[in-house]
Amino acid sequence: MKPFDYIRAGDASEAVDAAADGATIIAGGTNLLDLMKHEVMAPGRLVDITRLDLKRIEDMDGGLRIGALVTNSDLAADMRVRRSWPALAQALLAGASGQLRNKASTGGNLLQRTRCYYFYDTAMPCNKRAPGSGCGAIGGATRLHAILGGSDACIATHPSDMAVGLTMLGAEVEIMGQGGATRRVPLTEFYRLPGDTPHIETVLEPGELITAVILPPPAAGAQTYRKVRDRASYAFALVSVAARLRLEEGRIAEAALAFGGIAPRPWRDAAAEELLCGEQPSEALFVRAADTLLQGAEAQEGNAFKIPLLRRTLTATLSQLWKESSQ
């Protein structure tokens, strides 16, 4: 690990000013410290925000305001979340070991970096780590890589389970900039697709700080989070689905879907959701929704299995919700 300066921020304004001056923000450090040890990232200065007043989960306009420093453990255990937004609690519990959840923060979870093998291997080319160096994954080992939303410059996937659940639930990110100005960005607009600049991963500007995540009021219907991975615990998703269905008089009145493990950001497809609405649920309908989602899929040799796997996972998830909604 290379030497670095360390600052402990006394308030959010101090953290924002330090970040604007080139410092890297650290909270739980569950991802950043690994990246520093491997010299994938080598920040010259860290600003520690763990003493800021961002650790509360508060009721807000029928929804919740989740402070950026709320730990994944505390968020998953909150009875309001478990009762009204169960897909989020399930996604958090699927995401990591208990030890990691005790340290990982809400804001840091959203900003964790990809687990692409080539991103972590500094001997290999990676446009995300070293812009313009190339993408070692294309034509390489691609089991964990994207089938949607990638580009000729990058096919890495976003690793967060929590972000998939939040995307399905319509969450927003509260961001503070210099001078105390705040803005909200829907999570569907927070992440950037790689294009030819995969190193620019979000819409955050230099000197901006995530202060909270805003959950809208709970929506009616059954919801769940389903994750398929190589082993039973603490592995990143090959495919994951966060879904909600609301039925009225035997037909689907509302559908919300988000996907992980298949794209550079949590993936949402309005066309697949619209296809479901107004229809009588059936396995054939769910397969059609999956085919709509997969119309633009581009697989490598190593991850082509994700196409039928996603089709089966989505069908099974929607069938589960259909059964729950009919009881």
Side-chain angles (χ1 to χ4, degrees):
M1 186 182 291
K2 295 183 179 180
F4 58 89
D5 294 329
Y6 172 82
I7 303 168
R8 176 171 283 158
D11 57 35
S13 295
E14 185 178 348
V16 166
D17 290 343
D21 199 31
T24 297
I25 290 170
I26 184 169
T30 56
N31 184 211
L32 177 59
L33 291 179
D34 280 344
L35 294 170
M36 292 173 65
K37 290 174 184 177
H38 290 288
E39 296 189 0
V40 176
M41 293 180 66
R45 189 168 15 147
L46 294 182
V47 53
D48 182 345
I49 64 169
T50 54
R51 294 195 176 182
L52 303 189
D53 183 21
L54 300 174
K55 299 178 181 179
R56 291 178 289 175
I57 305 174
E58 304 170 292
D59 294 319
M60 182 178 182
D61 300 329
L64 290 180
R65 182 181 186 275
I66 304 162
L69 293 178
V70 172
T71 67
N72 288 181
S73 289
D74 286 347
L75 185 56
D78 187 279
M79 288 306 301
R80 291 165 293 185
V81 174
R82 294 174 65 182
R83 179 176 57 249
S84 300
W85 298 272
L88 175 57
Q90 293 164 6
L92 287 161
L93 294 173
S97 68
Q99 294 93 327
L100 286 173
R101 291 197 302 269
N102 287 340
K103 289 293 292 181
S105 66
T106 296
N109 188 302
L110 294 180
L111 295 176
Q112 63 183 299
R113 309 294 301 276
T114 182
R115 266 38 177 208
C116 173
Y117 330 112
Y118 301 94
F119 174 70
Y120 271 81
D121 186 350
T122 56
M124 296 298 294
C126 173
N127 290 316
K128 191 178 284 290
R129 173 173 30 81
S133 63
C135 177
I138 296 176
T142 55
R143 183 169 178 79
L144 292 179
H145 288 75
I147 58 173
L148 290 166
S151 71
D152 291 339
C154 182
I155 55 170
T157 52
H158 193 271
S160 173
D161 293 282
M162 183 191 80
V164 177
L166 289 171
T167 297
M168 184 276 290
L169 294 168
E172 295 181 321
V173 183
E174 181 184 278
I175 299 167
M176 177 178 171
Q178 289 187 287
T182 61
R183 63 186 178 116
R184 286 192 197 175
V185 177
L187 202 54
T188 50
E189 300 173 13
F190 180 71
Y191 296 106
R192 292 170 47 126
L193 290 177
D196 57 3
T197 56
H199 60 291
I200 305 175
E201 297 174 345
T202 73
V203 298
L204 285 175
E205 299 290 343
E208 288 191 321
L209 171 71
I210 294 176
T211 50
V213 169
I214 310 300
L215 267 181
Q223 60 180 252
T224 194
Y225 182 77
R226 183 180 294 233
K227 179 178 181 178
V228 181
R229 45 194 165 183
D230 277 328
R231 59 181 187 270
S233 61
Y234 318 135
F236 294 99
L238 297 171
V239 164
S240 66
V241 180
R244 179 180 63 86
L245 282 186
R246 182 174 68 84
L247 270 60
E248 278 186 8
E249 299 180 353
R251 294 183 178 271
I252 299 172
E254 288 183 287
L257 306 172
F259 303 88
I262 62 168
R265 66 184 183 195
W267 195 256
R268 193 160 187 180
D269 187 327
E273 296 175 355
E274 290 170 4
L275 183 145
L276 293 168
C277 291
E279 300 292 334
Q280 289 184 328
S282 68
E283 185 170 323
L285 175 66
F286 301 154
V287 171
R288 284 173 51 209
D291 288 342
T292 298
L293 169 71
L294 289 163
Q295 280 180 352
E298 296 184 8
Q300 305 286 311
E301 182 179 355
N303 66 359
F305 73 94
K306 288 190 176 185
I307 292 176
L309 179 61
L310 179 58
R311 184 180 292 111
R312 293 194 300 269
T313 304
L314 178 57
T315 301
T317 303
L318 293 176
S319 295
Q320 172 195 337
L321 295 180
W322 175 24
K323 181 178 179 181
E324 291 177 6
S325 298
S326 301
Q327 290 176 348

